Amino acid sequence: MICNIDQTAKGEKATCYSLKNKKGMEVVVSDFGATLVKVLVPDRDNILRDVVLGYDTVEGYEQGGVHFGATVGRVANRIGGAGFELNGKEYRLTKNDNQNTLHGGIDYYNKRMWKTEQEDDTKVVFSLLSPDGDQGFPGNLKIQVSYELTEEQELKIHYDAVSDQDTIINLTNHSYFNLSGHDSGSVLDQEVMICAEAFTEADAESIPTGKIVPVDGTPMDFRKKKPIGRDVEEEYEALIFGKGYDHNWVLDGTGMRMVAAMASKQTGISMEVYTDLPGMQFYTGNFLEAEKGKDGAVYGKRSGACFETQYFPDAIHKENFEGPVLKNGERYETTTVYKFV
């Protein structure tokens, strides 16, 4: 259902779509950036709480630099040295994170109009053609991203892509969750669990070294749920480098499985994260600063937490990381689910 139409700086019509289920949950997405705009969930008192950070207008998403609700690609996270070799050919990318590439470079997918392929009361499908050479990557890449809301309180995000050349791809969603409500301030008292016995060590520029480090005995251990703020200020190298949690966890298991959970005692809202991917960037909004958001809210440091399911960062340069290479004609398919319980 169309819930709003806005206009971009280029004069394009940006449309929002509302998905609803019978339990009162509502999700709002936009064809500008294939963006997740709102997630409204009933709390313990049956009051709807919007649990993702965002903006009121398309102008906010155009100008904002923190990727609220964003579909991120062609390659999410970081590529060291802003380049890579594939099939014997070197490809140069945009340096937008020191000497590295972050989230595909500055020509972000979430700053583009996507085409609406399908929409009804429970599902929307967006598509984008990323041409050969786009952001520096090879191959004409045809992408579809679908958002589906189920009666089981699941928000399913499905990614589907094919390329006419070998390329690399790593799509994710960059929503910031605050289960006490997007406008409630810090998430440090909210509890998180991550099903991971290890994380990928990174240097001071957040580029993985290739070393996989056990979480046991470190502040990175979320195998049992704990408040985000319990260990976030520990004098631990990874936390010092990241200015808090901003790291890739090596998720337990394979195939579609639950990999993380978050809960707010204040509202009684809990969320489970499911994916079929090997890694997840858990990021605690360490660089948010006086960001003007929805409904007059101002988001400060650690006002939200991201659960970015992914292939490991800089995997193209690490032989021991599962590769993000998509072969010509093969299909890239992955699903992430945020389930509210």
Side-chain angles (χ1 to χ4, degrees), residues 260-295:
M262 184 181 189
S264 166
K265 290 182 179 179
Q266 181 181 333
T267 60
I269 296 173
S270 298
M271 179 181 79
E272 297 170 349
V273 183
Y274 296 77
T275 190
D276 48 16
L277 289 168
M280 184 186 75
Q281 192 85 3
F282 176 56
Y283 170 55
T284 49
N286 309 323
F287 299 99
L288 290 178
E289 184 178 349
E291 191 76 16
K292 294 180 180 179
K294 291 182 282 192
D295 307 321

Side-chain angles (χ1 to χ4, degrees), residues 77-78 196-203 206-215 220 236-239 241 246-251 278-282 310-315 318 320-322:
N77 218 305
R78 292 164 178 87
E197 295 187 0
F199 70 101
T200 51
E201 181 185 74
D203 63 20
S206 296
I207 303 299
T209 63
K211 185 178 179 182
I212 292 176
V213 179
V215 299
M220 315 301 277
Y236 183 69
E237 184 179 72
L239 295 177
F241 283 169
D246 188 10
H247 303 82
N248 173 70
W249 268 257
V250 179
L251 300 173
M280 184 186 75
Q281 192 85 3
F282 176 56
Q310 61 183 359
Y311 289 106
F312 298 172
D314 203 36
K318 306 292 189 293
N320 59 321
F321 289 179
E322 185 176 341

Side-chain angles (χ1 to χ4, degrees), residues 19 32 106 136 146 230 267 292 317:
L19 312 177
F32 182 77
I106 56 175
S146 70
R230 177 182 293 175
T267 60
K292 294 180 180 179
H317 292 136

